[in-house]
Amino acid sequence: GIWEHSKSEGHDDYGLLVTEKARKYAIVKELEEPVNLRDGTTVLQYEARFQNGLECGGAYLKYLRPQEAGWKPKEFDNGSPYSIMFGPDICGLTNKVHFILKQKNPKSGEYVEHHLIDPPRVPSDKLSHVYTAILKPDNEISILIDGEVKKKGNFLSAQDFDPPIIPAKTIPDPNEKKPEDWDDRVRIPDPNAVKPDDWDENAPMEIEDMEAVKPEGWLDDESEEIDDPEATKPEDWDDEEDGVWEAPKIDNPKCQTAPGCGEWKRPMKRNPAFKGIWNPPLVDNPNYKGIWKPRDIPNPNYFELDKPYFDPIAAIGIEIWTMQEGILFDNILIAKDENVAQSYRDTTWKPKFVVEKEKQKAEEEAAGSDDLGGFQKKVFDVLYKFADIPFLSKYKLQILDFIEKAEKQPNLTIGVLVSIVVVILTAIFMLIFSGKKQ
């Protein structure tokens, strides 16, 4: 793919632009000196704008380890070793602002990717947005979008990273195998059961109803369809080229008042003798030993630490694949002071965002009062926030999938709104009035 140094649409501000769709892109910038992430607070921040939308593609940054780790700037690609990957990624069911820490296990010597669990969603518009990750010395991580905290976690919490940064103390023994005589069937066919003598496996499921009688007035000699008496052979019809002409068929009008036409056949009914294939009944297995699983052994790769083992950042790279062009990157920042990042948001991002937002609002208003587009967008923005309610987290993926499908059918907005609000209010009502039962 071809990069360009280009203006952001509607601004004089320049950024790094993805110019072609369905391409892979890679570009890297070495820092003057590596940034140590182990001491104090570190803020990673940058702006991205999807000027043509983003349906399938990445817009994340990779914060690379020093070149001693085995990479060269001119050979930068998806295999270049990184410390952190951060930013938007959308395609199919994937819609998230990634945060991935790649940490070396001191016992095994292998690098493992640790993904932040339940990361925030990517804003679904064509406006400029600023993405911020704040890494604090107390192991707290915060993900902000447009300066608003969307996700908080702890690097050492098993509930916040997958796999956990601190491995499990024990693991199933990989060398242990289930014994051949281990029986984990809870119930088995009764070995003493015998098929009854009168069980006919060949009996058909249905048989003719011999008690049925042909309805009075049935027209045996009439067909259900007849040639259309009003149809005539076209003048330009050539029997040699077009074949023998046949009149089109129409429903026989005589059959409309009669109980039926044509050959009468007895209706079918369920065969009382039908029993199907015989199977012995199930009984409790006297040899059942339970579900087998290997015994746990100490994890040879287990280790403890007070804070993550961050490799220093020696370069910043963009290495993505995208189906959309028009992605603009701007104001990439690494800072040790949150106030510096806040200042950049206020002075570089916010003025652009305000202009873009006002332009979007004017376009929605110009579309006419009968157009529900602006109202629908507000509705869906609210629904996405409902999906983040903690006690609905178990159903978050289903809710988000439901909302995304509804967005593609905007005429259903009101119905979707009412349905989801009813569900949420019901859940809240039950939570309040049902004691400990959820």
Side-chain angles (χ1 to χ4, degrees):
I2 298 174
W3 296 98
E4 282 186 6
H5 186 227
S6 176
K7 286 184 179 180
S8 181
E9 184 180 333
H11 306 289
D12 290 330
D13 187 42
Y14 282 79
L16 191 60
L17 181 68
V18 169
T19 63
E20 299 176 296
K21 62 177 65 176
R23 294 278 187 172
K24 291 181 178 180
Y25 288 82
I27 192 167
V28 66
K29 171 65 178 176
E30 292 183 81
L31 305 181
E32 292 181 1
E33 60 181 43
V35 177
N36 187 348
L37 303 182
R38 301 183 192 179
D39 299 326
T41 296
T42 302
V43 183
L44 310 176
Q45 180 171 285
Y46 72 102
E47 297 172 27
R49 184 182 184 188
F50 310 139
Q51 297 179 120
N52 297 323
L54 185 62
E55 295 180 0
C56 189
Y60 42 78
L61 303 189
K62 288 185 174 180
Y63 299 86
L64 304 174
R65 308 207 303 269
Q67 288 186 42
E68 292 77 24
W71 67 277
K72 298 178 181 179
K74 290 185 179 180
E75 299 174 4
F76 172 59
D77 61 13
N78 65 346
S80 298
Y82 65 87
S83 293
I84 291 173
M85 190 174 105
F86 170 53
D89 188 18
I90 296 177
C91 199
L93 296 177
T94 299
N95 183 323
K96 63 180 69 174
V97 178
H98 279 294
F99 185 92
I100 304 173
L101 170 65
K102 205 164 187 179
Q103 178 185 256
K104 182 179 181 179
N105 185 306
K107 291 289 188 70
S108 66
E110 296 180 353
Y111 276 87
V112 179
E113 288 186 357
H114 302 279
H115 293 245
L116 181 65
I117 296 173
D118 195 22
R121 294 175 60 82
V122 183
S124 57
D125 55 38
K126 300 178 182 180
L127 309 179
S128 296
H129 294 284
V130 58
Y131 301 91
T132 310
I134 303 176
L135 290 59
K136 294 188 176 181
D138 63 356
N139 295 325
E140 181 182 275
I141 175 173
S142 299
I143 304 297
L144 290 68
I145 301 178
D146 298 345
E148 181 181 349
V149 176
K150 296 293 185 179
K151 171 72 177 181
K152 274 192 175 184
N154 188 292
F155 279 109
L156 302 187
S157 170
Q159 282 71 47
D160 290 329
F161 280 87
D162 181 31
I165 289 175
I166 299 179
K169 289 185 178 181
T170 61
I171 59 171
D173 186 348
N175 298 317
E176 190 173 12
K177 297 181 179 180
K178 183 169 72 171
E180 294 182 0
D181 61 347
W182 188 282
D183 195 340
D184 53 12
R185 298 173 298 166
V186 178
R187 292 173 67 79
I188 59 173
D190 186 351
N192 299 318
V194 179
K195 182 172 71 173
D197 294 336
D198 61 348
W199 191 287
D200 185 359
E201 292 184 340
N202 298 317
M205 184 182 294
E206 291 185 328
I207 58 175
E208 288 187 353
D209 185 357
M210 302 307 295
E211 297 179 357
V213 179
K214 183 170 67 175
E216 186 176 348
W218 188 280
L219 305 178
D220 297 88
D221 299 328
E222 294 289 341
S223 300
E224 292 185 356
E225 291 184 335
I226 60 172
D227 293 342
D228 185 352
E230 298 182 359
T232 56
K233 180 179 178 180
E235 295 180 359
D236 59 349
W237 188 277
D238 188 329
D239 287 343
E240 292 184 359
E241 294 185 2
D242 303 324
V244 179
W245 182 81
E246 296 180 355
K249 299 290 186 180
I250 62 171
D251 292 337
N252 188 343
K254 294 181 180 179
C255 297
Q256 295 179 2
T257 57
C261 291
E263 180 185 1
W264 180 80
K265 295 181 179 179
R266 296 183 183 277
M268 304 297 287
K269 69 174 185 178
R270 182 173 177 80
N271 182 4
F274 172 76
K275 294 184 179 182
I277 302 299
W278 181 83
N279 290 299
L282 296 178
V283 296
D284 292 339
N285 181 4
N287 298 320
Y288 174 66
K289 294 184 178 181
I291 304 300
W292 182 87
K293 63 177 182 178
R295 63 188 177 89
D296 286 339
I297 61 172
N299 183 356
N301 295 322
Y302 173 76
F303 63 91
E304 295 183 1
L305 73 175
D306 296 328
K307 60 175 54 182
Y309 184 86
F310 293 112
D311 279 303
I313 296 173
I316 300 175
I318 304 174
E319 184 277 311
I320 59 174
W321 175 89
T322 177
M323 288 299 293
Q324 278 77 44
E325 78 282 21
I327 303 175
L328 191 79
F329 296 88
D330 199 6
N331 295 315
I332 299 172
L333 170 71
I334 299 178
K336 285 294 185 178
D337 187 343
E338 293 182 54
N339 293 326
V340 173
Q342 175 68 53
S343 176
Y344 266 84
R345 292 197 296 269
D346 292 341
T347 58
T348 66
W349 164 75
K350 196 167 186 178
K352 290 185 292 187
F353 181 77
V354 170
V355 171
E356 294 163 10
K357 197 73 173 175
E358 290 177 350
K359 181 181 177 182
Q360 176 182 273
K361 182 179 180 182
E363 290 174 348
E364 290 174 352
E365 292 176 351
S369 58
D370 292 336
D371 184 6
L372 292 176
F375 168 73
Q376 289 169 342
K377 186 179 184 307
K378 292 178 181 178
V379 168
F380 286 114
D381 286 345
V382 171
L383 293 180
Y384 278 122
K385 291 182 179 179
F386 272 125
D388 290 327
I389 295 176
F391 72 83
L392 294 176
S393 60
K394 182 179 179 181
Y395 309 100
K396 183 173 181 177
L397 291 179
Q398 293 95 318
I399 293 173
L400 293 177
D401 182 59
F402 185 43
I403 296 173
E404 286 178 358
K405 290 179 180 177
E407 280 187 300
K408 297 177 182 178
Q409 304 180 58
N411 291 334
L412 299 179
T413 297
I414 300 299
V416 171
L417 173 64
V418 172
S419 301
I420 294 181
V421 169
V422 167
V423 170
I424 292 172
L425 291 178
T426 302
I428 293 173
F429 184 86
M430 293 177 65
L431 195 64
I432 293 174
F433 293 104
S434 63
K436 295 183 179 179
K437 296 180 181 179
Q438 295 191 13

